[in-house]
Amino acid sequence: MEQKLSELAPQASLVGKPVSQLSTPLPVIDETRLEANIDRVQSYMDKIGKAFRPHIKTHKIPAVAQAQVKAGAKGINCQKVTEAQVFADAGFEDILITFNILGLDKLEELAAINEQIADLKVVADSATTVNGLAAAFGQREKSLKVLVECDTGAGRCGVQSAADAISLAEVIANSEGLAFAGLLTYPKAFGEVETEAFFTEALSGLQAKGIACPIVSNGGTPSLFDAEKVPSATEHRAGTYVYNDRAMARSGHCTLDDCAMTILATVVSRPTETRAVIDAGSKALTSDLLGFQDYGHVVDYPEAVITILSEEHGVVDLSGSAPDARPQIGDRIRIIPNHTCVVSNLFDQMVFQRNGIVTRVEPVAARGRVW
């Protein structure tokens, strides 16, 4: 049976309802905390004189990105071509994709976006990736801007030395259809010293060869408020800050009271005095531990510990709380997830609330490819 269009549309009928009456499990975004997070980070970036480029992977929602840009952000950061397409269609004109793009299908999609918007940029960390980009854009009228991705200590993608960055920048600059746009890193948290040293050496080498470097892009949320310690960077990218999560609170970036996302769940079973089962499993909370021993912070019962997740069940250890301070069957609980970005990718829609009342329901538009 075909799914009705009305079933795919945002549930406007929820607006005005108390959050406590909504079906669970459900992620809920606090509008006041969301606004405060956006303003807090943008104000800091304005103060230190750096452009700020939010990463939309955390929310994947054009309306949230519009709020970030309205606050002063310079364009957006995407991780996938499909994400970029959704946001290009939503009217965003300055998009950076921070991923090595390979394959004819993706390159064709990339070329279409480059024609669609004013300012598209991508990254590369190898001649193989650059050659693929050059083959796709060499005969096109509009060139593609490419930044060299640098590994300044995080151990993920990126060229391994400043000398490698300079060499790849030369390859890009000499490739038909491409334009060298700068340097970029996703550094390890609190790795500002290493990042600045890498950038300084690379910039010096580029200058010696007469290669202009208009963008120097740093990133990450955990040590975001140390961004001024990388003076060479012209912009900073961050995603998780917009909602925040338990891992960000542990890193010192924020407090639990700054976490805009909570997962609303219902206690569906109390098999023993010290065990509860909730209707939020790995398909609602994610199985990401990120160094924690449990699967989220239970706001209303802080001594409760979510110890086990299966797909639709979460097992909660209540032994640390007094018998009269334990949730009963049918009670709702709120959970701050360990990793908010993954939760966004588990739901088609996101509910927003203020003072416990639903304000809007937004589709998670860039969650996945629509064939």
Side-chain angles (χ1 to χ4, degrees):
M1 181 182 295
E2 292 186 3
Q3 193 168 18
K4 295 180 181 179
L5 182 61
S6 60
E7 294 174 346
L8 298 173
Q11 299 178 38
S13 61
L14 295 182
V15 175
K17 285 190 175 182
V19 171
S20 60
Q21 295 181 6
L22 302 183
S23 180
T24 62
L26 183 73
V28 180
I29 308 301
D30 185 300
E31 297 267 26
T32 301
R33 293 183 179 185
L34 174 71
E35 293 162 359
N37 291 338
I38 292 173
D39 290 343
R40 174 181 178 227
V41 171
Q42 188 62 53
S43 295
Y44 168 71
M45 291 298 167
D46 291 344
K47 178 181 177 181
I48 67 173
K50 292 192 187 298
F52 182 54
R53 183 181 297 278
H55 203 321
I56 60 82
K57 71 180 178 66
T58 299
H59 54 76
K60 297 176 179 278
I61 298 173
V64 175
Q66 287 164 359
Q68 292 171 306
V69 171
K70 184 178 180 180
K74 174 183 170 53
I76 60 171
N77 180 187
C78 296
Q79 200 78 336
K80 302 191 295 184
V81 176
T82 50
E83 289 177 342
Q85 185 64 69
V86 169
F87 281 82
D89 290 344
F92 290 84
E93 293 286 346
D94 184 347
I95 299 176
L96 168 65
I97 304 176
T98 48
F99 207 89
N100 284 293
I101 298 172
L102 301 166
L104 291 177
D105 54 342
K106 290 186 176 65
L107 291 170
E108 289 177 0
E109 293 169 347
L110 189 69
I113 298 171
N114 196 46
E115 295 295 330
Q116 179 179 352
I117 70 174
D119 192 355
L120 177 67
K121 296 171 283 286
V122 300
V123 300
D125 69 355
S126 72
T128 300
T129 300
V130 172
N131 291 339
L133 294 170
F137 285 85
Q139 304 302 315
R140 295 182 182 272
E141 184 175 339
K142 184 180 179 183
S143 60
L144 177 68
K145 297 178 181 178
V146 184
L147 288 78
V148 173
E149 183 168 6
C150 308
D151 179 4
T152 61
R156 197 165 69 180
C157 294
V159 297
Q160 296 299 294
S161 69
D164 291 340
I166 296 164
S167 296
L168 193 57
E170 287 186 285
V171 174
I172 295 167
N174 293 325
S175 295
E176 187 176 358
L178 306 182
F180 173 66
L183 304 173
L184 175 144
T185 187
Y186 179 72
K188 67 178 181 180
F190 307 101
E192 289 75 24
V193 172
E194 298 94 325
T195 298
E196 178 61 18
F198 192 112
F199 280 159
T200 298
E201 183 180 352
L203 288 168
S204 177
L206 290 170
Q207 184 178 25
K209 291 181 176 292
I211 301 175
C213 185
I215 300 171
V216 181
S217 185
N218 192 22
T221 293
S223 57
L224 181 156
F225 290 108
D226 286 328
E228 76 272 16
K229 295 179 182 178
V230 186
S232 295
T234 62
E235 72 172 27
H236 194 94
R237 313 175 323 278
T240 311
Y241 86 96
V242 72
Y243 290 161
N244 287 318
D245 55 27
R246 197 180 181 204
M248 292 302 104
R250 181 185 57 191
S251 75
H253 166 76
C254 65
T255 69
L256 292 176
D257 288 337
D258 298 313
C259 293
M261 175 188 282
T262 55
I263 311 302
L264 186 66
T266 301
V267 176
V268 296
S269 178
R270 281 291 309 275
T272 73
E273 285 298 313
T274 59
R275 185 167 80 247
V277 179
I278 57 176
D279 61 354
S282 62
K283 290 181 177 178
L285 291 170
T286 93
S287 56
D288 282 9
L289 285 169
L290 300 184
F292 290 102
Q293 298 301 309
D294 54 341
Y295 294 94
H297 172 74
V298 183
V299 177
D300 307 292
Y301 301 90
E303 288 79 26
V305 180
I306 305 172
T307 57
I308 300 172
L309 294 184
S310 52
E311 290 184 43
E312 307 292 355
H313 298 77
V315 177
V316 186
D317 181 359
L318 303 175
S319 61
S321 57
D324 60 350
R326 296 170 181 170
Q328 303 302 313
I329 294 174
D331 286 350
R332 303 293 183 89
I333 65 173
R334 296 173 297 155
I335 303 162
I336 296 175
N338 292 344
H339 193 183
T340 186
C341 305
V342 183
V343 173
S344 292
N345 204 53
L346 296 173
F347 292 87
D348 290 328
Q349 298 173 336
M350 200 64 59
V351 171
F352 293 73
Q353 64 87 17
R354 195 185 302 274
N355 298 322
I357 303 299
V358 177
T359 55
R360 53 181 167 141
V361 180
E362 297 283 356
V364 185
R367 182 186 177 199
R369 179 186 292 272
V370 178
W371 294 99

